[in-house]
Amino acid sequence: MGISIKNIEVYFPERVLDNEELFKIFNDISPNDIFKRTGIKKRYISSREETASDMGVEASEALFLKTELKRNEIDFLIFCSECFDYIAPTTSCILQDRLKLQNSIGAIDLPYGCSGFVYGLGIANSLIISGMAKKILFITSDTPSKLIPESNFELRCLFSDIATACIIEKNKFDSQYVFGTDGSGYQNLIAVNSGFRHANKRNHDEKLPFGEMKMNSTEVFRFAIKKVPKLVKELLIRHQLEIEKIDLFVFHQASYYLLEIIRRKIKVPLEKFFVNLEFNGNSVSSSIPLALYEAEMKGVLKKGMKVMLVGYGIGFSWAGTIIEY
């Protein structure tokens, strides 16, 4: 027994940051060259007062509006983000109230980024298999733009603020999970001065009140190239499947160049490797569910397909599974 992902809905903020605007700001690299470097043409930017939880509410309300799902059917809530309303209480508790869900549900925050969706699926899988939950509302939402200085060209080219919401239920397909952690690389992708450590150095700049994202792109790239192919191999062994039996590969959408190198290393044909960076950017915890949503909308993803999901990133952390969609 495993789980299924149903009724994915997405929220996009109103503001779009495209390559033409980036060119006007930095004017030393053309819009076309930005696209060649990243595979991205536009990203979404949340408004100044818009939080990740606000975006999560919008995605969830869209889900309830477009389905026959009743709010009292939800018996657990998972909120995956790195951009919580408060250090305490948990934002998932606040979301329970804002979404008018019943009081008898469990609610947890999952403070993960690019590997977070698969981590959350693993938690949901355990809750459902153990009988502690039957229908889980899983929300992903991040606002990385609020941690990026206006002068940081590299990060502004990559990251995007997007939220998703979906329902997790029981499925007969037996999904196995592979998780990995290497905390020795934590400084290579980090929001500095954003918590209790080095609180005396906290950035009180009005433009970056929540801390500043810093990334060593070379080390992040090396980490992904080293770990992801090994993760893919282990997933296939755990599921006793040949790679040809996987119908679709949906990986965290980090950058086009990185995804293309990974695809070639694991020897997957283009038509089976879904990429949707071009008009979305790197949306952190939302990148995989957003890709699933768009793959289904385009007719690439169909019911009954075996799909490999792989997340990797901040921590360093990585996670993978194979599901039957």
Side-chain angles (χ1 to χ4, degrees), residues 8-280:
I8 300 173
E9 287 297 334
V10 182
Y11 171 75
F12 300 99
E14 289 185 11
R15 187 190 164 198
V16 171
L17 176 62
D18 59 23
N19 292 347
E20 285 69 24
E21 184 176 347
L22 285 170
F23 173 63
K24 290 177 183 177
I25 297 168
F26 295 98
N27 59 59
D28 59 350
I29 180 169
S30 72
N32 191 50
D33 284 339
I34 294 172
F35 176 65
K36 285 180 179 178
R37 282 192 189 186
T38 63
I40 301 168
K41 288 185 177 177
K42 72 175 187 179
R43 315 114 192 102
Y44 291 90
I45 308 297
S46 55
S47 66
R48 184 177 179 82
E49 300 302 322
E50 190 172 36
T51 67
S53 67
D54 294 334
M55 291 166 46
V57 167
E58 294 289 344
S60 300
E61 291 295 353
L63 185 153
F64 286 118
L65 184 64
K66 293 182 181 180
T67 68
E68 296 181 357
L69 179 71
K70 294 180 174 59
R71 296 172 197 257
N72 62 10
E73 294 181 64
I74 304 298
D75 52 16
F76 213 98
L77 167 65
I78 299 173
F79 180 54
C80 182
S81 179
E82 293 176 330
C83 305
F84 299 111
D85 286 6
Y86 307 99
I87 291 175
T90 61
T91 303
S92 58
C93 286
I94 298 169
L95 285 168
Q96 174 274 330
D97 179 61
R98 290 185 66 184
L99 292 170
K100 298 179 175 58
L101 304 179
Q102 58 185 340
N103 294 135
S104 58
I105 71 168
I108 60 171
D109 285 354
L110 183 60
Y112 261 82
C114 305
S115 61
F117 184 71
V118 184
Y119 264 83
L121 290 181
I123 292 170
N125 188 75
S126 297
L127 289 167
I128 287 173
I129 287 177
S130 66
M132 289 189 284
K134 292 182 179 179
K135 201 178 295 283
I136 298 172
L137 174 60
F138 187 4
I139 303 170
T140 65
S141 183
D142 281 288
T143 55
S145 68
K146 290 179 167 58
L147 300 169
I148 301 173
E150 291 182 357
S151 60
N152 193 316
F153 173 76
E154 179 185 24
L155 296 182
R156 291 188 72 185
C157 282
L158 290 175
F159 288 99
S160 189
D161 303 344
I162 296 173
T164 74
C166 65
I167 298 299
I168 310 298
E169 292 181 321
K170 182 170 65 174
N171 184 286
K172 292 180 180 180
F173 183 78
D174 185 18
S175 294
Q176 302 295 312
Y177 291 80
V178 175
F179 300 103
T181 306
D182 181 5
S184 68
Y186 82 95
Q187 291 186 340
N188 292 309
L189 185 51
I190 185 172
V192 297
N193 305 327
S194 60
F196 286 102
R197 190 169 295 281
H198 305 309
N200 60 321
K201 297 180 181 178
R202 191 177 179 96
N203 189 342
H204 293 288
D205 184 338
E206 199 174 286
K207 294 181 179 179
L208 289 173
F210 312 110
E212 178 182 347
M213 185 191 300
K214 291 184 178 292
M215 181 174 73
N216 184 330
S217 55
T218 300
E219 289 303 315
V220 173
F221 182 85
R222 286 175 178 169
F223 147 72
I225 292 301
K226 180 180 178 181
K227 295 297 182 183
V228 173
K230 291 180 180 178
L231 172 58
V232 169
K233 184 177 181 180
E234 189 171 351
L235 279 172
L236 293 170
I237 292 171
R238 291 270 189 103
H239 289 85
Q240 298 182 343
L241 289 170
E242 298 296 324
I243 198 164
E244 294 79 14
K245 297 296 183 181
I246 306 300
D247 299 304
L248 195 65
F249 296 78
V250 179
F251 290 11
H252 166 57
Q253 306 287 298
S255 75
Y256 180 80
Y257 181 61
L258 175 56
L259 284 168
E260 182 60 12
I261 289 179
I262 290 172
R263 183 189 70 81
R264 291 178 181 180
K265 284 180 75 74
I266 62 176
K267 299 178 181 178
V268 173
L270 271 171
E271 63 270 18
K272 283 191 171 187
F273 198 80
F274 191 77
V275 176
N276 70 328
L277 270 167
E278 186 172 352
F279 298 107
N280 298 302

